């Protein structure tokens, strides 16, 4: 239960108390600042408290946005404010500073506004709600009250609530084919007490059933898989819309929403590969290639965004051109579709699954994602080269965390520290060479499962250590993590494919999936402001260079059949390690209660 304190002159016939109770508040009344302070002190410290002027007139949804959103320690609209436990002390100080006596009427006439200004000055993270067409005001006279009521009646707050439940920036397919009805499904779920986490879980289960249908290898199974995948995507849109509609944001929801999308898509790839195998077509290499390409695309997105999260002095003409293109309506949709976001991608996969074969699905997916990757990466490289911005220590640390360097790279970096210039192109060049040396060797060697490959992997580790020996503040240093991801994932793919024994590629698929989960988990921890996974976990997983070294040793030392068993065991061990620690963290975490918007849907 939360507590709302009505402080100010009472208003007869106002629905305010009923509205506050509808929002889950226990309503109490106070006459002045002193009695407000007494009531505030009586509310348990772990509870949310709201202070509302009885003369408030506005939409119920305006109150809901101000008083119930869990993402902000304090929030306010005219006439109402709220403080969660972390901001309660600041609110108590603000109330205690209200003077009494002659000449203080201007401070206590609208006490909520005075307290709001005080909280703003204390930098408590106060969020001033953007109301848009919603109304929230303090009516001091009967005439003002009548005008405010007319303004409230002129706007349907339920329509506004439904409209704002949808992402402000979405893909074409989602905007025109999903959101027009999924928002009503979100409202249906809210009215029946369903939570976003329950809808997210339903979406995952639906996608897993779709993967199972695809694994049957029959035409009927493929048709059912395509339909279920589309329904899973509808639910995937609904969970976020439900969170925004009912303001049910949570730390657990952020984790589930962030990770389940990847789990659904990659499980579906595996289902397609199993279905193709039943028909005598081995497409595991294509499935693994699609997962690698999609994961590397995401790493490019994450790294670029983190590198420029708080960069200053953006003077990029490329960014200016992009902003100019955004003013031309049709170019916005074309550019959003070119990058093949999740909505367009899943629609393509679903339709092709129902109508064609898994091999064709993966060919289309690889071609489409490759073109999208080239487009987005080229644009970001141009922006980085043409902008003059100062990268911060926070951005450099985020890139270092995304690099996922293990003990070996750390040791090499310590020895190479001071030999390169921060801000130069040395780091991305060394990271590129680290990946290129390894991949060229394993791809073009007749037998990459040799001790020479172990030596090449050691050289790759040396280059990787040199790449992270200085703070990653250069214009293109955000390319370092993607180069490392491509080197590791593709090397695993090639070594498994060249083993040429049944089960090697599925085992490699499981291993890359486990490692990719670790990398996604790192991203979402950084986004949540809690920092990367603990160093002991990164060291226990070996880092990207350590894992590659271990895998090349296993390939050289074992028979192809033994290598397959070793890959399977390594996949299981890594999956258990990263999943257990990740679940422990997110269940017990005090990370901000946000609902990750994730990839453009």
């Amino acid at each position: 239960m939360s507590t709302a304190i009505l402080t100010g002159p009472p208003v007869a016939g106002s629905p305010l108390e009923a509205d506050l109770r509808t929002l889950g508040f226990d309503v109490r009344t106070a006459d002045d600042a002193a009695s407000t302070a007494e009531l505030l002190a009586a509310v348990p410290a772990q509870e949310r408290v709201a202070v509302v002027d009885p003369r408030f007139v506005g939409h119920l949804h305006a109150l809901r946005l101000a008083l119930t959103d869990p993402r902000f320690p304090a929030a306010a609209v005219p006439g109402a404010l709220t403080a969660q436990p972390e901001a309660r002390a600041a609110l108590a100080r603000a109330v205690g500073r209200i003077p009494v006596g002659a000449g203080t009427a201007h401070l206590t006439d609208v006490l909520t506004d005075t307290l709001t200004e005080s909280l703003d000055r204390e930098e408590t993270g106060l969020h001033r709600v953007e109301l848009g067409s919603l109304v929230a005001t303090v009516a001091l006279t009967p005439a003002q009250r009548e005008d405010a009521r007319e303004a409230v009646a002129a706007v349907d707050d339920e329509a506004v609530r439904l409209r704002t439940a949808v992402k402000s920036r979405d893909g074409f397919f989602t905007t025109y084919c999903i959101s027009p009805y999924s928002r009503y499904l979100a409202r249906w779920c809210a009215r029946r007490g369903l939570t976003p986490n329950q809808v997210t879980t339903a979406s995952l289960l639906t996608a897993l059933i779709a993967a199972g249908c695809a694994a049957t290898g029959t035409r009927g199974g493929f048709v059912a898989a395509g339909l279920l995948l589309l329904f899973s995507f509808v639910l995937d849109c609904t969970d976020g819309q439900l969170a925004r509609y009912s303001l049910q944001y949570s730390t657990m929801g952020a984790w589930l929403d962030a990770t389940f999308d990847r789990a659904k898509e990659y499980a579906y790839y595996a289902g397609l590969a199993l279905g193709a195998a039943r028909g005598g077509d081995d497409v595991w290499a294509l499935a693994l290639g699609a997962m690698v390409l999609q994961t590397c695309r995401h790493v490019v997105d994450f790294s670029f965004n983190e590198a420029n999260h708080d960069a200053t002095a953006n003077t990029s003409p490329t960014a200016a051109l992009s902003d100019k293109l955004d003013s031309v309506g049709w170019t916005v949709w074309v550019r959003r579709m070119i990058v093949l976001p999740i909505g367009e991608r899943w629609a393509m996969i679903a339709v092709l699954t129902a109508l064609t074969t898994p091999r064709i699905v993966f060919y289309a997916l690889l071609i489409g994602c490759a073109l999208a990757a080239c487009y987005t990466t080229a644009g970001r490289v141009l922006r980085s080269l043409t902008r003059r911005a100062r990268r911060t220590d926070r951005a450099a640390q985020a890139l270092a965390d995304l690099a996922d360097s293990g003990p070996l790279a750390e040791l090499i970096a310590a020895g190479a520290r001071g030999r390169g210039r921060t801000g130069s192109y040395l780091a991305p060049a060394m990271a590129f060479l680290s990946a290129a040396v390894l991949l060229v060797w394993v791809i073009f060697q007749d037998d990459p499962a040799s001790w020479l490959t172990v030596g090449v992997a050691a050289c790759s580790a040396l280059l990787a250590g040199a790449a992270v020996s200085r703070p990653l503040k250069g214009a293109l240093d955000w390319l370092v993590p993607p180069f490392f991801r491509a080197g590791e994932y593709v090397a695993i793919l090639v070594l498994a494919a060249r083993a040429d024994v049944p089960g090697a590629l599925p085992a490699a698929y499981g291993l890359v999936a486990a490692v990719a989960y670790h990398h996604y988990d790192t991203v979402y921890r950084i986004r949540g402001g809690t920092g990367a996974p603990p160093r002991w976990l990164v060291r226990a997983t070996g880092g990207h260079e350590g894992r590659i070294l271990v895998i090349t040793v296993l390939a050289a030392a074992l028979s192809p059949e033994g290598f397959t068993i070793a890959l399977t065991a390594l996949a299981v061990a890594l999956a258990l390690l990263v999943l257990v620690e990740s679940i422990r963290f997110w269940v017990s975490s005090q990370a901000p209660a946000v609902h990750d918007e994730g990839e453009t849907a």
Side-chain angles (χ1 to χ4, degrees):
M1 176 66 73
S2 302
T3 299
I5 301 172
L6 290 176
T7 178
V11 177
S14 171
L16 182 59
E17 286 194 36
D19 286 346
L20 290 171
R21 290 193 174 93
T22 297
L23 297 178
F25 284 90
D26 177 28
V27 181
R28 304 181 188 183
T29 59
D31 298 324
D32 52 24
S35 56
T36 299
E38 291 176 1
L39 286 176
L40 184 62
V43 176
Q46 71 274 14
E47 286 188 13
R48 174 195 289 268
V49 67
V51 180
V52 184
D53 194 300
R55 296 163 294 181
F56 174 89
V57 179
H59 287 101
L60 175 62
H61 192 49
L63 276 178
R64 181 182 290 108
L65 291 170
L67 305 185
T68 67
D69 195 326
R71 295 174 296 175
F72 310 105
V77 293
L81 76 151
T82 185
Q84 295 207 67
E86 57 265 41
R88 286 279 303 276
L91 178 60
R93 289 192 298 269
V95 175
R97 284 195 295 265
I98 301 294
V100 296
T104 63
H106 67 289
L107 296 176
T108 58
D109 186 32
V110 184
L111 183 60
T112 53
D113 289 354
T114 301
L115 296 177
T116 297
E117 293 298 327
S118 181
L119 287 177
D120 213 1
R121 288 193 298 272
E122 285 211 25
E123 298 183 355
T124 58
L126 177 73
H127 172 65
R128 292 182 181 269
V129 177
E130 294 183 9
L131 293 171
S133 59
L134 296 174
V135 176
T137 188
V138 176
L140 301 178
T141 66
Q144 290 178 351
R145 177 169 292 275
E146 185 61 29
D147 290 344
R149 285 174 174 169
E150 290 179 1
V152 169
V155 177
D156 183 352
D157 72 335
E158 179 61 19
V160 173
R161 190 180 178 191
L162 274 172
R163 185 174 66 251
T164 55
V166 178
K167 282 184 187 178
S168 58
R169 184 181 183 276
D170 240 334
F172 181 89
F173 178 77
T174 306
T175 299
Y176 291 104
C177 300
I178 304 295
S179 292
Y181 57 87
S182 63
R183 68 184 74 183
Y184 296 102
L185 179 58
R187 182 171 67 181
W188 183 89
C189 292
R191 291 177 175 177
R192 282 152 184 80
L194 297 176
T195 67
N197 291 352
Q198 290 170 334
V199 177
T200 301
T201 303
S203 176
L204 173 67
L205 293 175
T206 303
L208 293 179
I209 295 171
C213 291
T216 63
T218 64
R219 178 52 52 196
F222 288 147
V223 171
L227 292 173
L228 286 170
L229 186 65
L230 284 177
F231 182 58
S232 173
F233 182 65
V234 172
L235 293 176
D236 182 54
C237 295
T238 300
D239 67 355
Q241 290 164 0
L242 174 59
R244 287 181 286 273
Y245 180 85
S246 56
L247 301 182
Q248 295 184 73
Y249 301 98
S250 68
T251 300
M252 178 66 75
W255 174 61
L256 293 178
D257 188 57
T259 56
F260 278 13
D261 278 354
R262 305 287 77 80
K264 288 180 286 189
E265 186 167 0
Y266 300 156
Y268 191 81
Y269 292 176
L272 283 175
L274 288 170
R278 285 179 175 271
D281 190 11
D282 187 354
V283 296
W284 274 106
L286 296 177
L288 181 49
M291 180 168 68
V292 168
L293 180 54
Q294 190 57 34
T295 305
C296 288
R297 282 186 63 200
H298 287 144
V299 174
V300 168
D301 293 342
F302 300 146
S303 295
F304 179 81
N305 291 334
E306 289 302 325
N308 297 284
H309 180 272
D310 45 12
T312 57
N314 180 8
T315 57
S316 168
T318 309
L321 175 61
S322 177
D323 293 339
K324 184 178 294 186
L325 288 173
D326 282 344
S327 64
V328 183
W330 66 269
T331 67
V332 175
W333 293 118
V334 170
R335 292 164 64 213
R336 289 186 190 178
M337 292 173 70
I338 286 174
V339 301
L340 204 63
I342 187 172
E344 278 75 359
R345 192 169 67 250
W346 282 28
M348 180 186 75
I349 293 170
V351 171
L352 291 179
T353 298
L355 300 179
T356 65
T357 66
R359 181 171 289 273
I360 293 176
V361 173
F362 286 124
Y363 281 154
L365 192 59
L366 287 165
I367 293 170
C369 288
L371 292 174
C374 291
Y375 170 77
T376 55
T377 305
R380 286 167 178 174
V381 168
L382 285 174
R383 287 191 183 206
S384 300
L385 291 175
T386 56
R387 73 184 295 171
R388 292 181 176 86
R390 184 170 308 214
R391 271 74 180 186
T392 64
D393 291 337
R394 177 203 172 281
Q397 183 58 53
L399 291 180
D401 292 334
L402 291 174
D404 192 34
S405 300
L408 183 56
E410 285 182 336
L411 183 63
I412 296 166
R417 194 157 288 133
R419 299 183 185 179
R421 183 168 61 86
T422 299
S424 69
Y425 299 122
L426 182 62
M430 298 299 279
F432 172 77
L433 288 174
S434 173
V437 165
L438 178 64
L439 294 184
V440 168
W441 178 269
V442 298
I443 291 172
F444 293 104
Q445 276 296 303
D446 292 334
D447 182 17
S450 67
W451 292 105
L452 284 175
T453 303
V454 176
V456 172
C459 292
S460 175
L462 286 171
L463 293 168
V468 295
S469 62
R470 298 298 299 264
L472 299 176
K473 293 184 177 182
L476 296 179
D477 284 1
W478 57 270
L479 286 169
V480 170
F483 283 145
F484 286 164
R485 295 297 80 75
E488 178 182 3
Y489 296 163
V490 176
I492 294 172
L493 189 161
V494 174
L495 287 171
R498 299 291 292 276
D500 197 24
V501 294
L505 279 167
Y509 192 95
L511 176 58
V512 172
V515 175
Y517 176 86
H518 167 59
H519 291 144
Y520 281 116
D521 187 51
T522 300
V523 167
Y524 293 116
R525 293 197 200 200
I526 293 172
R527 280 185 171 182
T530 57
R535 285 304 303 169
W536 71 261
L537 179 66
V538 177
R539 293 189 178 104
T541 61
H544 69 93
E545 80 291 347
R547 288 189 294 270
I548 283 296
L549 201 56
V550 168
I551 290 167
T552 56
V553 168
L554 293 174
L558 301 174
S559 66
E561 292 77 10
F563 179 59
T564 299
I565 295 172
L567 283 181
T568 304
L570 187 59
V572 171
L574 281 174
L576 288 175
L577 180 63
V578 298
L579 278 172
V580 168
E581 203 286 327
S582 176
I583 292 171
R584 180 211 61 78
F585 169 79
W586 287 105
V587 169
S588 62
S589 172
Q590 298 302 312
V594 297
H595 189 91
D596 182 75
E597 295 297 327
E599 182 186 358
T600 302

